[in-house]
PDB file of all heavy atoms in Angstrom:
ATOM      1  N   PHE R  22     -23.059 -30.447  20.758  1.00  0.00           N
ATOM      2  CA  PHE R  22     -21.891 -29.798  20.158  1.00  0.00           C
ATOM      3  C   PHE R  22     -20.734 -29.875  21.107  1.00  0.00           C
ATOM      4  O   PHE R  22     -19.577 -30.156  20.729  1.00  0.00           O
ATOM      5  CB  PHE R  22     -22.239 -28.340  19.800  1.00  0.00           C
ATOM      6  CG  PHE R  22     -21.107 -27.616  19.161  1.00  0.00           C
ATOM      7  CD1 PHE R  22     -20.689 -27.954  17.862  1.00  0.00           C
ATOM      8  CD2 PHE R  22     -20.410 -26.578  19.807  1.00  0.00           C
ATOM      9  CE1 PHE R  22     -19.596 -27.279  17.249  1.00  0.00           C
ATOM     10  CE2 PHE R  22     -19.371 -25.911  19.211  1.00  0.00           C
ATOM     11  CZ  PHE R  22     -18.953 -26.278  17.959  1.00  0.00           C
ATOM     12  N   LEU R  23     -20.999 -29.661  22.417  1.00  0.00           N
ATOM     13  CA  LEU R  23     -19.933 -29.685  23.410  1.00  0.00           C
ATOM     14  C   LEU R  23     -19.298 -31.100  23.465  1.00  0.00           C
ATOM     15  O   LEU R  23     -18.085 -31.238  23.587  1.00  0.00           O
ATOM     16  CB  LEU R  23     -20.499 -29.349  24.806  1.00  0.00           C
ATOM     17  CG  LEU R  23     -20.884 -27.891  24.996  1.00  0.00           C
ATOM     18  CD1 LEU R  23     -21.468 -27.650  26.361  1.00  0.00           C
ATOM     19  CD2 LEU R  23     -19.666 -26.981  24.827  1.00  0.00           C
ATOM     20  N   THR R  24     -20.128 -32.108  23.352  1.00  0.00           N
ATOM     21  CA  THR R  24     -19.611 -33.459  23.335  1.00  0.00           C
ATOM     22  C   THR R  24     -18.777 -33.695  22.086  1.00  0.00           C
ATOM     23  O   THR R  24     -17.732 -34.321  22.131  1.00  0.00           O
ATOM     24  CB  THR R  24     -20.798 -34.504  23.307  1.00  0.00           C
ATOM     25  OG1 THR R  24     -21.799 -34.003  24.155  1.00  0.00           O
ATOM     26  CG2 THR R  24     -20.343 -35.854  23.817  1.00  0.00           C
ATOM     27  N   HIS R  25     -19.300 -33.162  20.978  1.00  0.00           N
ATOM     28  CA  HIS R  25     -18.582 -33.371  19.669  1.00  0.00           C
ATOM     29  C   HIS R  25     -17.208 -32.725  19.680  1.00  0.00           C
ATOM     30  O   HIS R  25     -16.233 -33.353  19.268  1.00  0.00           O
ATOM     31  CB  HIS R  25     -19.478 -32.790  18.542  1.00  0.00           C
ATOM     32  CG  HIS R  25     -18.780 -32.811  17.225  1.00  0.00           C
ATOM     33  ND1 HIS R  25     -18.529 -33.981  16.525  1.00  0.00           N
ATOM     34  CD2 HIS R  25     -18.262 -31.789  16.468  1.00  0.00           C
ATOM     35  CE1 HIS R  25     -17.903 -33.688  15.406  1.00  0.00           C
ATOM     36  NE2 HIS R  25     -17.733 -32.368  15.343  1.00  0.00           N
ATOM     37  N   ILE R  26     -17.122 -31.487  20.173  1.00  0.00           N
ATOM     38  CA  ILE R  26     -15.833 -30.807  20.035  1.00  0.00           C
ATOM     39  C   ILE R  26     -14.758 -31.337  20.978  1.00  0.00           C
ATOM     40  O   ILE R  26     -13.578 -31.071  20.801  1.00  0.00           O
ATOM     41  CB  ILE R  26     -15.923 -29.253  20.192  1.00  0.00           C
ATOM     42  CG1 ILE R  26     -16.535 -28.819  21.499  1.00  0.00           C
ATOM     43  CG2 ILE R  26     -16.676 -28.662  18.994  1.00  0.00           C
ATOM     44  CD1 ILE R  26     -16.546 -27.323  21.667  1.00  0.00           C
ATOM     45  N   ARG R  27     -15.160 -32.142  21.958  1.00  0.00           N
ATOM     46  CA  ARG R  27     -14.148 -32.791  22.811  1.00  0.00           C
ATOM     47  C   ARG R  27     -13.302 -33.766  21.986  1.00  0.00           C
ATOM     48  O   ARG R  27     -12.154 -34.046  22.303  1.00  0.00           O
ATOM     49  CB  ARG R  27     -14.800 -33.521  23.976  1.00  0.00           C
ATOM     50  CG  ARG R  27     -15.108 -32.593  25.129  1.00  0.00           C
ATOM     51  CD  ARG R  27     -15.593 -33.303  26.314  1.00  0.00           C
ATOM     52  NE  ARG R  27     -15.982 -32.389  27.363  1.00  0.00           N
ATOM     53  CZ  ARG R  27     -15.125 -31.861  28.217  1.00  0.00           C
ATOM     54  NH1 ARG R  27     -13.858 -32.191  28.178  1.00  0.00           N
ATOM     55  NH2 ARG R  27     -15.536 -31.021  29.131  1.00  0.00           N
ATOM     56  N   SER R  28     -13.921 -34.344  20.953  1.00  0.00           N
ATOM     57  CA  SER R  28     -13.177 -35.322  20.166  1.00  0.00           C
ATOM     58  C   SER R  28     -12.819 -34.796  18.792  1.00  0.00           C
ATOM     59  O   SER R  28     -12.073 -35.469  18.059  1.00  0.00           O
ATOM     60  CB  SER R  28     -14.043 -36.589  20.028  1.00  0.00           C
ATOM     61  OG  SER R  28     -15.257 -36.230  19.476  1.00  0.00           O
ATOM     62  N   CYS R  29     -13.313 -33.619  18.423  1.00  0.00           N
ATOM     63  CA  CYS R  29     -13.053 -33.161  17.052  1.00  0.00           C
ATOM     64  C   CYS R  29     -12.235 -31.839  17.103  1.00  0.00           C
ATOM     65  O   CYS R  29     -12.763 -30.772  17.410  1.00  0.00           O
ATOM     66  CB  CYS R  29     -14.368 -32.915  16.324  1.00  0.00           C
ATOM     67  SG  CYS R  29     -14.129 -32.184  14.693  1.00  0.00           S
ATOM     68  N   THR R  30     -10.953 -31.978  16.814  1.00  0.00           N
ATOM     69  CA  THR R  30     -10.047 -30.816  16.883  1.00  0.00           C
ATOM     70  C   THR R  30     -10.511 -29.712  15.913  1.00  0.00           C
ATOM     71  O   THR R  30     -10.396 -28.550  16.191  1.00  0.00           O
ATOM     72  CB  THR R  30      -8.614 -31.240  16.483  1.00  0.00           C
ATOM     73  OG1 THR R  30      -8.465 -32.577  16.852  1.00  0.00           O
ATOM     74  CG2 THR R  30      -7.587 -30.387  17.151  1.00  0.00           C
ATOM     75  N   SER R  31     -10.958 -30.158  14.752  1.00  0.00           N
ATOM     76  CA  SER R  31     -11.251 -29.246  13.692  1.00  0.00           C
ATOM     77  C   SER R  31     -12.408 -28.308  14.094  1.00  0.00           C
ATOM     78  O   SER R  31     -12.290 -27.076  13.977  1.00  0.00           O
ATOM     79  CB  SER R  31     -11.653 -30.046  12.429  1.00  0.00           C
ATOM     80  OG  SER R  31     -12.093 -29.220  11.488  1.00  0.00           O
ATOM     81  N   CYS R  32     -13.516 -28.871  14.537  1.00  0.00           N
ATOM     82  CA  CYS R  32     -14.675 -28.064  14.935  1.00  0.00           C
ATOM     83  C   CYS R  32     -14.300 -27.237  16.152  1.00  0.00           C
ATOM     84  O   CYS R  32     -14.759 -26.071  16.259  1.00  0.00           O
ATOM     85  CB  CYS R  32     -15.879 -28.923  15.231  1.00  0.00           C
ATOM     86  SG  CYS R  32     -16.598 -29.612  13.750  1.00  0.00           S
ATOM     87  N   ALA R  33     -13.579 -27.824  17.122  1.00  0.00           N
ATOM     88  CA  ALA R  33     -13.202 -27.077  18.349  1.00  0.00           C
ATOM     89  C   ALA R  33     -12.384 -25.866  17.969  1.00  0.00           C
ATOM     90  O   ALA R  33     -12.606 -24.750  18.449  1.00  0.00           O
ATOM     91  CB  ALA R  33     -12.434 -27.987  19.274  1.00  0.00           C
ATOM     92  N   HIS R  34     -11.425 -26.082  17.070  1.00  0.00           N
ATOM     93  CA  HIS R  34     -10.549 -24.982  16.671  1.00  0.00           C
ATOM     94  C   HIS R  34     -11.330 -23.895  15.945  1.00  0.00           C
ATOM     95  O   HIS R  34     -11.179 -22.678  16.235  1.00  0.00           O
ATOM     96  CB  HIS R  34      -9.444 -25.495  15.709  1.00  0.00           C
ATOM     97  CG  HIS R  34      -8.422 -24.492  15.377  1.00  0.00           C
ATOM     98  ND1 HIS R  34      -8.522 -23.709  14.284  1.00  0.00           N
ATOM     99  CD2 HIS R  34      -7.315 -24.137  16.028  1.00  0.00           C
ATOM    100  CE1 HIS R  34      -7.494 -22.868  14.246  1.00  0.00           C
ATOM    101  NE2 HIS R  34      -6.730 -23.113  15.322  1.00  0.00           N
ATOM    102  N   ALA R  35     -12.249 -24.268  15.057  1.00  0.00           N
ATOM    103  CA  ALA R  35     -13.061 -23.302  14.335  1.00  0.00           C
ATOM    104  C   ALA R  35     -13.932 -22.482  15.298  1.00  0.00           C
ATOM    105  O   ALA R  35     -14.012 -21.292  15.190  1.00  0.00           O
ATOM    106  CB  ALA R  35     -13.915 -24.011  13.271  1.00  0.00           C
ATOM    107  N   TYR R  36     -14.583 -23.213  16.216  1.00  0.00           N
ATOM    108  CA  TYR R  36     -15.481 -22.559  17.187  1.00  0.00           C
ATOM    109  C   TYR R  36     -14.716 -21.612  18.096  1.00  0.00           C
ATOM    110  O   TYR R  36     -15.096 -20.440  18.258  1.00  0.00           O
ATOM    111  CB  TYR R  36     -16.224 -23.601  18.023  1.00  0.00           C
ATOM    112  CG  TYR R  36     -17.092 -23.031  19.082  1.00  0.00           C
ATOM    113  CD1 TYR R  36     -18.327 -22.474  18.778  1.00  0.00           C
ATOM    114  CD2 TYR R  36     -16.667 -22.981  20.406  1.00  0.00           C
ATOM    115  CE1 TYR R  36     -19.073 -21.888  19.781  1.00  0.00           C
ATOM    116  CE2 TYR R  36     -17.438 -22.426  21.412  1.00  0.00           C
ATOM    117  CZ  TYR R  36     -18.674 -21.880  21.059  1.00  0.00           C
ATOM    118  OH  TYR R  36     -19.420 -21.291  22.043  1.00  0.00           O
ATOM    119  N   VAL R  37     -13.636 -22.100  18.693  1.00  0.00           N
ATOM    120  CA  VAL R  37     -12.902 -21.292  19.650  1.00  0.00           C
ATOM    121  C   VAL R  37     -12.264 -20.135  18.994  1.00  0.00           C
ATOM    122  O   VAL R  37     -12.322 -18.956  19.521  1.00  0.00           O
ATOM    123  CB  VAL R  37     -11.829 -22.182  20.369  1.00  0.00           C
ATOM    124  CG1 VAL R  37     -10.906 -21.350  21.188  1.00  0.00           C
ATOM    125  CG2 VAL R  37     -12.530 -23.242  21.205  1.00  0.00           C
ATOM    126  N   SER R  38     -11.638 -20.308  17.820  1.00  0.00           N
ATOM    127  CA  SER R  38     -10.964 -19.183  17.177  1.00  0.00           C
ATOM    128  C   SER R  38     -11.954 -18.058  16.802  1.00  0.00           C
ATOM    129  O   SER R  38     -11.673 -16.868  16.963  1.00  0.00           O
ATOM    130  CB  SER R  38     -10.170 -19.620  15.958  1.00  0.00           C
ATOM    131  OG  SER R  38     -11.016 -20.171  15.021  1.00  0.00           O
ATOM    132  N   LEU R  39     -13.147 -18.478  16.352  1.00  0.00           N
ATOM    133  CA  LEU R  39     -14.157 -17.494  15.916  1.00  0.00           C
ATOM    134  C   LEU R  39     -14.705 -16.752  17.171  1.00  0.00           C
ATOM    135  O   LEU R  39     -14.881 -15.545  17.180  1.00  0.00           O
ATOM    136  CB  LEU R  39     -15.277 -18.186  15.191  1.00  0.00           C
ATOM    137  CG  LEU R  39     -16.282 -17.272  14.512  1.00  0.00           C
ATOM    138  CD1 LEU R  39     -15.603 -16.281  13.572  1.00  0.00           C
ATOM    139  CD2 LEU R  39     -17.301 -18.094  13.743  1.00  0.00           C
TER     140      LEU R  39
END
Side-chain angles (χ1 to χ4, degrees):
Chain R
F22 181 69
L23 290 178
T24 322
H25 173 70
I26 58 176
R27 277 187 184 275
S28 57
C29 177
T30 331
S31 172
C32 287
H34 187 267
Y36 175 78
V37 170
S38 61
L39 190 55

